[in-house]
Amino acid sequence: MKTNKTDAALPGRRRFLAAGLALASAPAFGLTGGAAPPDSASREFNAFVLEQMRQARIPGLAVGLARDGVARFARGFGYADIESRRMVDADTVFHLASITKTVTATAIAWLHEQGRLDLDEPVAPHLDFPLRHPRHRAAAITARQLLMHTSGISDANYYRIDFRTPGRDADLSLQGFLRDYLVPGGTAYSAEGSFSAHAPGAAWDYSNVGFAVLGELAARVSGKDMRELTRRALFAPLGMTSTFWTLADTPAARSATPYLTADSAYVRQLPIGSPDWPGSMLRSSIADLTRYVAASANGGATGDARILRPQTMTELLLMRQPAQLPAWLTGQGLGWMQGRLGDRIVANHWGGDPGVFTAAYLDPDARCGVAILCNVSTSEASKAAIKNIALRLLSRPDEAY
């Protein structure tokens, strides 16, 4: 998500992005992406998912399960687009929102493996703009702090100023956004709104802007735009051919339409672009994302493809408890978080934007992972549905395929 707070606190943004198509009745849900598996347990799982969707009023959903480094299934349910009755399948492309942050974290970890970046050294010398906390100038900001949301960079101004653009990629570049936000004199800068009161490393404060810095850091260290770096180092080895960083590259005919719910209606949204793309703008299919989840839950490898060494993947998922970690988390790793799912404690990351709700869960001890993508905004009902589906898959994976 843009933040782990729901977008309900930002009604102006929702109105701004609404495209005005209100569909007064809930769609009839169905399974897509191939014939339903013949065994009764799999049919029961499909029925369970459809019932969760009905209760939460989720128009379209895609779910994938990975075990032992293999994507066991990727399946679509319901509507990618209600108006045209286009169904979700395994290749439908969804906006991942803040699951993107785990990909950026993986790219930073890959650079660390290559010896190009020390996670605990100051990042400022790598950048071509000054980065210093105005109230704690002696304390350097490191990549590890950025990955763990403890850098002291604040999203307060980020939520006062809407940087998102409806229906197209952002006009403002990543570097231009960072200069405007973090450098004194920038149009979006303020000492109080761009930085928290806490010194770097002192306290947890979820920061989309911090992950934007990581994207620029990756480019400066590697000499390549991070979008190109991830295509070569992560997506190509995993066979992720339906994963896109920009709206311009994303095939509209295969994209899930985002929706808000209002009373009994579904309100169609335009897709959005934003200059802080390293934290929120990746789009992917469930078939692709499940391959990434398979590797992440399996020590960095799936099949004959390896994106990270086992020790590096372990470091990404090493959970700590920084000061002011919120109660809904039990730990913070490098990009990945940790929280309770039923009676389990698992690594995870959620994502949300207007018309988007996504979740990924990893159980590295069982080498199992789940990804779930929805084309409706986050609600208490959709949170419950996604948790119920994920918990069932992680607890009883053999019954789903």
Side-chain angles (χ1 to χ4, degrees):
M1 8 184 92
K2 284 292 221 184
T3 175
N4 281 282
K5 305 163 187 170
T6 71
D7 215 55
L10 306 168
R13 294 187 178 188
R14 290 186 169 190
R15 288 195 296 270
F16 175 63
L17 291 167
L21 173 63
L23 302 175
S25 60
F29 299 118
L31 168 70
T32 61
D39 58 282
S40 60
S42 294
R43 288 195 298 270
E44 183 185 348
F45 170 74
N46 294 337
F48 173 79
V49 172
L50 293 170
E51 177 59 18
Q52 294 296 314
M53 291 174 66
R54 187 193 67 78
Q55 291 182 20
R57 300 191 67 244
I58 298 170
L61 180 146
V63 59
L65 172 69
R67 291 183 76 187
D68 299 321
V70 177
R72 300 295 179 175
F73 74 76
R75 199 171 296 166
F77 299 80
Y79 288 107
D81 185 87
I82 300 170
E83 186 180 34
S84 67
R85 296 301 192 256
R86 177 166 54 87
M87 307 297 287
V88 176
D89 62 27
D91 296 318
T92 300
V93 177
F94 287 78
H95 180 184
L96 299 186
S98 276
I99 291 178
T100 302
K101 290 180 174 66
T102 71
V103 174
T104 295
T106 303
I108 292 293
W110 185 86
L111 289 168
H112 175 61
E113 269 192 359
Q114 302 297 308
R116 302 187 196 182
L117 180 64
D118 187 321
L119 298 183
D120 296 306
E121 288 184 352
V123 300
H126 295 291
L127 305 173
D128 67 351
F129 59 87
L131 179 62
R132 185 70 65 183
H133 195 304
R135 281 168 283 182
H136 303 280
R137 300 190 65 83
I141 294 172
T142 69
R144 190 181 302 276
Q145 292 163 357
L146 292 164
L147 289 164
M148 293 186 64
H149 299 289
T150 61
S151 68
I153 295 174
S154 172
D155 277 359
N157 270 2
Y158 178 79
Y159 284 110
R160 284 197 285 264
I161 305 167
D162 197 344
F163 293 96
R164 296 181 287 188
T165 52
R168 70 181 194 280
D169 294 308
D171 300 318
L172 185 62
S173 70
L174 173 62
Q175 187 179 95
F177 164 75
L178 292 171
R179 284 181 173 275
D180 282 351
Y181 196 94
L182 295 170
V183 179
T187 57
Y189 176 85
S190 79
E192 297 76 21
S194 299
F195 295 87
S196 73
H198 300 288
W204 189 94
D205 186 6
Y206 190 91
S207 179
N208 291 284
V209 180
F211 269 77
V213 174
L214 287 167
E216 180 64 14
L217 176 65
R220 300 293 299 179
V221 168
S222 69
K224 298 183 180 68
D225 186 294
M226 196 190 76
R227 290 169 288 202
E228 180 60 27
L229 175 68
T230 52
R231 288 186 195 108
R232 294 185 182 185
L234 305 181
F235 305 156
L238 294 175
M240 295 172 64
T241 58
S242 295
T243 300
F244 309 97
W245 279 108
T246 66
L247 276 170
D249 289 338
T250 305
R254 289 172 46 205
S255 296
T257 299
Y259 293 97
L260 300 179
T261 55
D263 299 322
S264 60
Y266 290 90
V267 183
R268 188 186 188 101
Q269 305 290 288
L270 290 172
I272 61 169
S274 186
D276 63 313
W277 52 263
S280 61
M281 284 291 109
L282 199 62
R283 289 169 165 84
S284 188
S285 68
I286 196 64
D288 273 18
L289 185 62
T290 305
R291 295 186 187 101
Y292 167 72
V293 165
S296 299
N298 190 53
T302 175
D304 59 358
R306 176 167 292 281
I307 56 173
L308 289 177
R309 298 169 189 157
Q311 60 269 33
T312 308
M313 196 70 233
T314 297
E315 187 170 7
L316 277 183
L317 297 176
L318 178 62
M319 298 296 164
R320 303 183 187 278
Q321 292 75 38
Q324 299 196 7
L325 188 73
W328 45 268
L329 291 177
T330 60
Q332 175 67 60
L334 304 184
W336 290 95
M337 299 171 173
Q338 185 188 67
R340 295 188 181 278
L341 182 66
D343 59 354
R344 293 169 172 259
I345 296 178
V346 292
N348 67 84
H349 212 297
W350 284 11
D353 253 317
V356 177
F357 180 33
T358 64
Y361 293 90
L362 304 180
D363 184 346
D365 291 337
R367 297 189 178 274
C368 192
V370 171
I372 304 171
L373 308 175
C374 306
N375 61 342
V376 70
S377 289
T378 311
S379 67
E380 291 305 314
S382 63
K383 287 180 185 178
I386 268 54
K387 287 180 179 179
N388 289 341
I389 294 168
L391 181 59
R392 176 155 177 158
L393 279 171
L394 290 173
S395 302
R396 299 153 61 184
D398 291 332
E399 297 181 8
Y401 62 95

